[in-house]
Amino acid sequence: MQTNFSAAQLADPHVAESEKILRKCVHCGFCTATCPTYVTLGNELDSPRGRIYLIKDMLENGRPADKEIVTHIDRCLSCLACMTTCPSGVNYMHLVDHARAHIEQTYRRPLLDRLIRAMLAFVLPYPGRFRAALKLARLGRPLIGLLEKLPTLKPVAAMLEVAPSSIPPASRMATPAVHGGQGTKRGRVAILTGCAQSVLDPAINEAAVSLLTRLGVDVVVPEGEGCCGALVHHMGREDQALASARQNVDAWMRAIDQGGLDAIIITASGCGTTIKDYGFMLRLDPAYAEKAARVSALAKDITEYLAALDLPEPVRKPGTIVAYHSACSMQHGQKITRQPKELLAKAGFVVREPREGHLCCGSAGTYNILQPDISAKLRDRKVTNIEATGASLVATSNIGCITQIASAAKLPVVHTIKLLDWAYGGPKPDGVSENSLGGAE
Ligand code: SF4
Ligand code: SF4
């Protein structure tokens, strides 16, 4: 695509990066067919190509964001299906991240929207605040029906709707410690404790640590780790996202200095995509660029790491039919498609892939709160495809997808690592009946 930026505009490294991306787009439109919002809404401006034109126009003319561009960029899930489809290698992720930061800096949203976004950014990345907010949300649940009738308050209704009715107790796996591997040592890793997942389902990291240590891997929970920054990054709050990235880089560099790390293990694929991008996000910060690139190179999804470990034969032989839902951040963000399915199959599960597996389930960080109508349509489409597989349960590797799909599916939705841990001798995942697992000892 031809661009028309001035030399002065290109002196801004963010604009220069976006210009490089824009020039790669050849307008072919292949990406539209796999874009969930285009498939759902049928509007070119809600397709990747349409958004790319809008972003180009805004940046080239040095304009502040307006209502039209905000509407269409806000509807983008950042699912990155367009990047998987694009034959020209357009890095839509970096382009839309830049557009979101530009929107945040130049557009004044309506008051209620500002308040909701500020509240999400204040609460979600901090486990203590998030836990307290979930307790409060239980009191507000009776108001859901009323709030849903008022268009501007729909996000509040969506927030109350996705809040679980019970919250598990805090896990010891979130406390800084070194969990020693058993038997012959096979590695030393750090594990991201993160934010929302550690509150909603701490058993995910417990299963990861339990399986890794049984396999002989030392697992470090470093002091000072926190949210990866993805939730606020996708809201265009760059300063907050970069502060989270720097905090984690510092925590992991200390762990590297204190005994080395073979990998930084992530059990939420949404966080994995962002941490693997820290090197890019902090490239302009001389104090962090090199360290961030090192951290990104060490970042591994738990299934990537396990696939390289050469696992023994499982203790149980389940034979259970599992529908594997590949989170967008897993398949499009990190391009991890093979390992989770192969690990599940090796552990004795029969893996089925739902139709339209490339389409987002509508969770996408805070999307299910901020865009509840589109999100619900995508969720229902996903659940229909999953249930058509005839599986007894759903395996996936991102807490957002787990919460979203579980809110409408009749089947239990379980993190992949919990199923693997169980097959290799760990406890039965909570909320899954023996019947669903069908595990023969
Ligand atoms: S990230 Fe997803 S929703 Fe956004 S333009 Fe690309 S395919 Fe469409
Ligand atoms: S597929 Fe790639 S090159 Fe074609 S319109 Fe989409 S982003 Fe541009």
Side-chain angles (χ1 to χ4, degrees):
M1 180 186 290
Q2 208 180 356
T3 57
N4 197 17
F5 289 90
S6 68
Q9 284 176 308
L10 294 174
D12 177 336
H14 299 288
V15 174
E17 187 63 36
S18 288
E19 194 243 10
K20 266 199 290 181
I21 299 168
L22 289 166
R23 290 177 74 91
K24 279 196 170 179
C25 177
V26 295
H27 327 239
C28 65
F30 288 165
C31 51
T32 55
T34 56
C35 171
T37 54
Y38 181 74
V39 169
T40 306
L41 303 168
N43 180 350
E44 171 74 14
L45 293 180
D46 290 314
S47 77
R49 185 172 58 181
R51 292 185 177 112
I52 287 169
Y53 277 121
L54 289 172
I55 296 170
K56 176 179 184 284
D57 182 55
M58 174 176 74
L59 296 179
E60 231 172 30
N61 292 303
R63 276 198 290 105
D66 57 22
K67 193 166 182 289
E68 183 187 39
I69 189 163
V70 172
T71 299
H72 298 293
I73 296 297
D74 280 357
R75 285 183 191 157
C76 169
L77 296 132
S78 277
C79 70
L80 310 182
C82 46
M83 284 180 65
T84 298
T85 314
C86 176
S88 304
V90 172
N91 193 324
Y92 178 84
M93 175 171 84
H94 288 160
L95 186 66
V96 82
D97 285 347
H98 179 200
R100 288 200 162 109
H102 187 82
I103 288 171
E104 188 63 18
Q105 285 157 14
T106 62
Y107 183 72
R108 193 165 168 81
R109 293 176 182 276
L111 179 65
L112 194 64
D113 195 12
R114 263 184 286 146
L115 285 175
I116 290 171
R117 283 166 182 268
M119 197 263 288
L120 291 172
F122 179 75
V123 170
L124 288 182
Y126 306 96
R129 295 177 196 170
F130 185 42
R131 186 178 288 281
L134 289 178
K135 285 183 185 156
L136 270 179
R138 277 189 293 202
L139 303 176
R141 283 184 80 86
L143 299 174
I144 291 175
L146 179 68
L147 295 169
E148 269 173 344
K149 291 194 183 102
L150 306 166
T152 49
L153 291 175
K154 268 191 176 181
V156 181
M159 231 178 319
L160 297 175
E161 192 120 40
V162 293
S165 47
S166 66
I167 312 154
S171 167
R172 68 185 181 91
M173 294 304 171
T175 309
V178 178
H179 302 273
Q182 298 167 14
T184 312
K185 291 283 175 273
R186 298 180 73 185
R188 181 181 166 88
V189 301
I191 190 162
L192 171 77
T193 48
C195 53
Q197 178 183 281
S198 69
V199 176
L200 292 169
D201 193 353
I204 293 171
N205 267 10
E206 285 168 12
V209 174
S210 171
L211 181 56
L212 286 167
T213 51
R214 290 204 306 280
L215 292 168
V217 179
D218 290 342
V219 183
V220 184
V221 180
E223 181 93 49
E225 237 190 33
C227 169
C228 69
L231 290 167
V232 286
H233 188 45
H234 292 153
M235 286 196 268
R237 294 174 173 252
E238 275 313 281
D239 290 348
Q240 193 179 348
L242 294 182
S244 293
R246 288 189 188 97
Q247 180 187 332
N248 284 335
V249 168
D250 285 341
W252 291 323
M253 289 307 293
R254 279 194 299 274
I256 290 170
D257 291 342
Q258 287 163 9
L261 289 178
D262 302 318
I264 295 162
I265 300 295
I266 300 140
T267 54
S269 58
C271 310
T273 305
T274 298
I275 294 167
K276 288 181 176 180
D277 202 39
Y278 275 4
F280 178 83
M281 289 164 65
L282 289 168
R283 73 197 182 287
L284 302 173
D285 181 341
Y288 277 87
E290 204 182 312
K291 292 185 283 185
R294 197 165 163 202
V295 158
S296 288
L298 282 173
K300 295 256 178 307
D301 184 78
I302 179 75
T303 56
E304 260 182 307
Y305 186 76
L306 289 175
L309 269 192
D310 189 19
L311 298 188
E313 282 304 302
V315 174
R316 299 181 170 94
K317 302 258 188 278
T320 318
I321 301 175
V322 168
Y324 174 67
H325 163 72
S326 187
C328 296
S329 43
M330 189 72 115
Q331 59 172 318
H332 305 305
Q334 300 184 58
K335 306 281 182 256
I336 300 171
T337 52
R338 189 177 45 78
Q339 297 92 326
K341 291 181 287 182
E342 287 179 1
L343 286 165
L344 285 166
K346 184 168 182 185
F349 295 94
V350 176
V351 180
R352 290 200 182 149
E353 291 183 71
R355 278 183 58 237
E356 300 184 325
H358 62 282
L359 283 184
C360 182
C361 67
S363 167
T366 54
Y367 194 92
N368 55 357
I369 294 170
L370 296 170
Q371 299 284 338
D373 293 336
I374 306 172
S375 169
K377 282 188 183 134
L378 290 168
R379 179 200 61 197
D380 294 347
R381 186 167 179 153
K382 179 63 68 186
V383 168
T384 302
N385 283 324
I386 285 175
E387 291 184 343
T389 62
S392 316
L393 45 90
V394 187
T396 189
S397 303
N398 193 48
I399 187 68
C401 308
I402 294 173
T403 313
Q404 173 85 344
I405 297 169
S407 71
K410 295 185 204 87
L411 312 176
V413 188
V414 189
H415 195 288
T416 309
I417 190 63
K418 287 192 187 175
L419 294 177
L420 295 175
D421 182 42
W422 173 78
Y424 286 95
K428 182 173 76 62
D430 277 351
V432 184
S433 66
E434 290 287 352
N435 241 1
S436 305
L437 278 171
E441 298 284 335

